[in-house]
Structure formats: C-alpha cells, structure tokens
Amino acid sequence: PSTMSCVGTMMGLPLAGLASGFVSSSATIHAMGRRTRDEAELMPGLVAGAVLSSVATVVQLALVTAYLAPTLLAQLAWSLLLGGAVAVLYGAWFTLHALRAPDTPARGTGRAFDLYAALMFAGLIGAVLTVAAALNAWAGDRGLLATAAVAGLADAHSAAVAAASMVATGTIQPSLGVVAVLTGLSTNAMVKSILAVTSGGSAYAMRIIPGLALMMGAAWLGILL
C-alpha cells in the first residue's frame, strides 16, 4: 500500500514530500503545487511536504561534502544545521495544521510526481548543468561562484560537488567552498520560489517562499558561527 493509505492523506503528504526531496526537492515543490490546483483541500499537507523536501536537500549536501571534503563540511556545518533546523520547524508547523484538518482521501494516485512534468523538468536540469559545465571550463577557478550560481538553478548538489572537489584537491580554500555551496543553494531556492508561483499560484507560493527565505537566511547566518 502507498504511504498515504497507511498513515492517512494529511500525514502521508509530508512524508512523501520528504522522501521525494531525496530525488529532487525542486521537482517535489513543483509537483505539490500542481496538485493544489486540483485538490486545494489538501493545501496544508502539500505545503508541508514541499517544505520538508528541502530538509532532504540539506541532508544530501552534508553527505556529499562529508564524503568529498570533510574539511569543507567542518566549516559548512553550522550553515547546514541552522538552515535544516529552520526547514524542519517550518515544515512541522504546516504538518500540525495538516493533522488538525479533516483527513480527505486524495483524488489522484497518491504519488508526488507527475511523470510528464518530471521528465520535462529533468530535461531542464540537463540543459542548465551543460551550461554550468561550459562556464566552468571557460572561466576556470575564477568562475567557481558563477558556476555554482548557474548550477544551483538546476540542482544545489552539483554546486556542492564542484566546490567540495576543488577543496579536496587544494585548488580553493574551504572558506571559498562554503560561499560556493551557499551560492548554489541560494539560486536553487530562487528557482523553487518561481516554481511555487508557477505551479501552485499565489496561495501556495505565499506559504512556500517565506520558508525558503528563512532557511537561506539561517544558512548564511551560519557563516558567522
């Protein structure tokens, strides 16, 4: 049985969003937004799932940097902890709202992703990553931040991999690697905000964007610690 049939729609949606975030948080936010147009009564659960998908992004960033460059993770730790904590708290708030709402059976299949939309989004990711690779080859190390910003438009993890790899080889200092990772995460948050608007409309976006802004603010604040 599906996650939602086991634990109820309103609890299943946050769990599905968190799990789907390990595949793509951006695609999850987009897919949840599309569902709000047809199933507005599920808004609290869909928002909770969308927000919690960003927790998966933070976990993956920690794993990537820990594997490739532990020294980078040491300097990035506070940023990831603070950003992740904010995402968890913000998502938990909407999860509580979802649990207080009457449990409504989902009219769809119960899956977070629309296959056609996911394939189109994957094509967009591939195109942006190609541009990022070309920019890095053309600009070299000096283009790291620009590359991280462009790569973040498609996937925050690609920016982290590039930065961690350069830290591991001694090409750049960990402090610059931290800025590169957060730059990619920031542009990725901007893309998520745009996807929230275009997929779910203003009501959905007004719930998603503040969470993304608070998460990024906390992550950048972590540099000071």
Side-chain angles (χ1 to χ4, degrees):
S2 68
T3 300
M4 285 182 282
S5 64
C6 290
V7 298
T9 302
M10 284 304 190
M11 189 60 204
L13 286 169
L15 293 176
L18 176 62
S20 298
F22 285 98
V23 179
S24 172
S25 176
S26 298
T28 300
I29 288 174
H30 179 261
M32 294 293 189
R34 285 170 61 91
R35 287 192 64 177
T36 62
R37 293 185 179 274
D38 298 323
E39 301 176 88
E41 68 277 8
L42 299 180
M43 177 75 79
L46 290 167
V47 170
V51 172
L52 289 175
S53 71
S54 290
V55 176
T57 298
V58 173
V59 172
Q60 287 177 310
L61 286 179
L63 293 175
V64 165
T65 53
Y67 177 75
L68 294 176
T71 55
L72 175 59
L73 178 61
Q75 293 202 20
L76 193 61
W78 275 111
S79 292
L80 295 181
L81 284 172
L82 291 177
V86 168
V88 168
L89 292 174
Y90 195 83
W93 172 261
F94 281 99
T95 299
L96 289 175
H97 277 276
L99 293 177
R100 290 173 183 154
D103 195 53
T104 305
R107 296 196 296 270
T109 62
R111 293 175 296 182
F113 288 103
D114 176 281
L115 180 58
Y116 176 76
L119 290 175
M120 292 294 292
F121 194 81
L124 175 61
I125 288 177
V128 174
L129 289 181
T130 299
V131 172
L135 181 59
N136 190 44
W138 172 71
D141 297 345
R142 294 171 299 176
L144 174 61
L145 295 182
T147 300
V150 174
L153 295 175
D155 178 41
H157 309 106
S158 57
V161 168
S165 298
M166 296 177 77
V167 170
T169 58
T171 306
I172 62 172
Q173 294 297 314
S175 56
L176 179 58
V178 169
V179 175
V181 171
L182 293 184
T183 297
L185 192 59
S186 297
T187 56
N188 189 247
M190 291 173 58
V191 169
K192 290 178 180 179
S193 298
I194 294 172
L195 290 172
V197 174
T198 57
S199 65
S202 59
Y204 177 71
M206 286 175 62
R207 291 165 171 81
I208 299 296
I209 293 176
L212 292 172
L214 288 171
M215 175 183 165
M216 288 314 309
W220 282 102
L221 179 64
I223 292 182
L224 302 178
L225 301 177

